[in-house]
Amino acid sequence: MNKLSGLQFLLVASRQEPPKVDRPSPSSGNRTPDMTAFITQTLGSYIAEEALARAPSDVVAKAKLCLLDSLGCLFGGHQLPIAGMLGALRADSQRVPSPAMAAFARATLINALDFDDIYEKGHPGATVIAAALSVAEYKLCAGTEFLEAVIIGYEVSCRVGISLTHVRPRKAIHGHGTWQIFGAAAAAAKLMGLDAMRAAHAIAIAAANAPVASVMKTVYGDTPSMAKNNFGMAAQMGVNAARLAAVGYEGPLDVFEGETGFWRMAGADECRFDRLTNGLGAAYEILRVGFKPFSCCRLIQSSVQACSDVVRMAGIDPADAKHARLIVTVPPIVCAPPFSEARPRHMWAAQFSAPHAIAMAVFGVEPGPDWFVDDWLNDEIAGRFQDSIELRPHPNHGLPHGTHAASACLQLRNGQSFERHVDIAEGDASNPMRKSALESKFLRLASRVAGEGGASEVIDNVYALDEAESVRPLLRLLTG
């Protein structure tokens, strides 16, 4: 038998027939359901058994759009100074390229503009797509295999995320990267061909090594920073978890169950085990993923849309100072820092600043890297417009569809006023962005890096993945 190199040994896993595992019965609250298998084993069986041929056509189509959106954000991230830092880190870290380090860089860049996909919580694409791309570089796989990994990554990641529940109105411990590690681990495990038990251990290892839930400091603290959601570390450790499982490393298979389960590690008050496993492989969470039209936090998308619309309705040039003030009624959280801060000092704060995002939209700046250049961050006219914005808490914050709703009232100096309300922002899964708009977003972000021809070729490759014998042509376009 030929001996495998160290890297090959880590990336090639057993393809033996997965063991039959009974699925946990639905449950709710903190009660662990009666089961003959741990939740990690249920997820492991799903990872090993899921196939693109079983996925509905709308799920496959949505997976392609999720991939396209994340790739656009990746191209956009490459236009930022942080791309140089990450390139130097990869060059210095080791002479042999590492799929885990590649996943770290890609996940960080996909999320860098805060322009990446949205879900009930988090940005699952950053970690899933980054891990899938990075493992695919080291393993010959067909387009169908790649799409399988993407779908599986979204399902596992999203289900863990929505299983974590909170009874308090505002969490003290919060971090999407903490649970998005599972999407990276699941996608990597599928591409590496792990059987059900090894995939279960990959999930268990990922849980034991998930990044700290640090968003209350890295985003909501006094100094928002490039650490942000910690998606880079989540993607890196997710890939490493699959590689470790492939060589026999084991994790605690009961990591989700009981009072000391992963939900406690992630800072949740309860765990809804039914949301984690019920309908797995039949009801697809990826269909509830949305895409952003503006490069800022999801919480302020409706605010930006309402303000952009109301300024257009008034027909004024925001630079002419013909308005007296712009009153924006928003979710209460947006009335507090970092969301309420005008004139942010750098891009990491600007992504969460409602006044800055509103100003960029009404001044007609294309969403993406241009929102965060020094010229606009330091522009005095845009700064004065931000100073004229008054944020007020929404009185109907508890309405079913009003969580992120916003209203804008533009008052002109001549006494006229114009109003606009946005309940659900465009791009949310319940108010989806048009496919043509998503393609336009991608082309704006990618063309500066890949050229117009290269960007169009990426779109063609993404849409044809389910017929592609290899993902190499797509990867060459990305790395070229």
Side-chain angles (χ1 to χ4, degrees), residues 26-373:
S27 181
S28 62
N30 286 339
R31 294 173 297 170
T32 303
D34 294 331
M35 62 182 72
T36 57
F38 293 119
I39 288 172
T40 51
Q41 293 172 291
T42 300
L43 296 176
S45 290
Y46 169 70
I47 292 168
E49 296 168 8
E50 180 68 287
L52 194 69
R54 293 211 305 252
S57 59
D58 57 345
V59 171
V60 177
K62 187 60 175 284
K64 293 177 181 179
L65 295 181
C66 288
L67 174 59
L68 188 67
D69 189 66
S70 287
L71 292 180
C73 293
L74 178 60
F75 278 118
H78 271 289
Q79 300 168 46
L80 302 175
I82 192 175
M85 304 176 201
L86 294 169
L89 177 63
R90 288 184 67 181
D92 291 343
S93 61
Q94 57 189 119
R95 294 180 181 177
V96 178
S98 162
M101 182 55 70
F104 177 94
R106 286 189 170 112
T108 301
L109 290 174
I110 289 171
N111 182 240
L113 291 168
D114 216 321
F115 211 179
D116 44 332
D117 63 16
I118 50 178
Y119 176 62
E120 184 174 317
K121 53 172 74 174
H123 307 260
T127 43
V128 171
I129 302 300
L133 288 172
S134 301
V135 174
E137 281 185 318
Y138 297 88
K139 183 184 183 301
L140 292 175
C141 69
T144 53
E145 294 173 301
F146 187 85
L147 287 173
E148 285 172 357
V150 169
I151 293 169
I152 288 167
Y154 271 90
E155 293 311 303
V156 172
S157 184
C158 291
R159 284 173 174 274
V160 175
I162 61 174
S163 75
L164 308 174
T165 60
H166 302 265
V167 296
R168 290 172 292 180
R170 187 68 193 137
K171 302 178 282 290
I173 302 173
H174 180 39
H176 301 311
T178 307
W179 55 264
Q180 284 189 205
I181 189 173
F182 296 105
K190 184 63 174 180
L191 283 173
M192 291 166 59
L194 302 195
D195 66 25
M197 186 54 70
R198 291 190 183 188
H201 278 295
I203 295 297
I205 295 166
N209 292 278
V212 171
S214 57
V215 165
M216 297 308 292
K217 180 62 69 174
T218 57
V219 171
Y220 298 127
D222 294 333
T223 54
S225 72
M226 65 180 68
K228 285 210 307 180
N229 295 299
N230 215 359
F231 289 161
M233 190 59 67
Q236 178 179 359
M237 288 308 303
V239 171
N240 276 338
R243 297 176 75 198
L244 287 166
V247 296
Y249 198 94
E250 296 183 350
L253 290 178
D254 64 345
V255 72
F256 287 109
E257 281 82 8
E259 288 295 317
T260 57
F262 175 78
W263 57 278
R264 284 288 194 201
M265 305 178 203
D269 300 316
E270 297 177 349
C271 183
R272 287 288 305 274
F273 293 101
D274 57 324
R275 300 192 80 183
L276 211 166
T277 58
N278 192 30
L280 185 62
Y284 290 85
E285 291 300 313
I286 196 171
L287 296 176
R288 299 204 297 129
V289 171
F291 307 110
K292 291 181 178 181
F294 305 112
S295 46
C296 58
C297 180
R298 177 186 188 175
L299 292 175
I300 55 180
Q301 296 280 317
S302 293
S303 304
V304 176
Q305 183 178 332
C307 292
S308 180
D309 289 349
V310 82
V311 169
R312 186 168 55 252
M313 290 163 56
I316 66 167
D317 182 343
D320 290 343
K322 291 182 178 179
H323 72 288
R325 61 178 176 170
L326 176 57
I327 301 171
V328 193
T329 307
V330 294
I333 188 175
V334 180
C335 295
F339 303 104
S340 61
E341 295 289 342
R343 301 180 184 241
R345 298 185 304 278
H346 49 70
M347 70 167 288
W348 310 110
Q351 296 173 9
F352 301 98
S353 166
H356 176 80
I358 291 168
M360 292 301 95
V362 301
F363 275 78
V365 184
E366 287 286 2
D370 289 348
W371 276 29
F372 308 116
V373 297

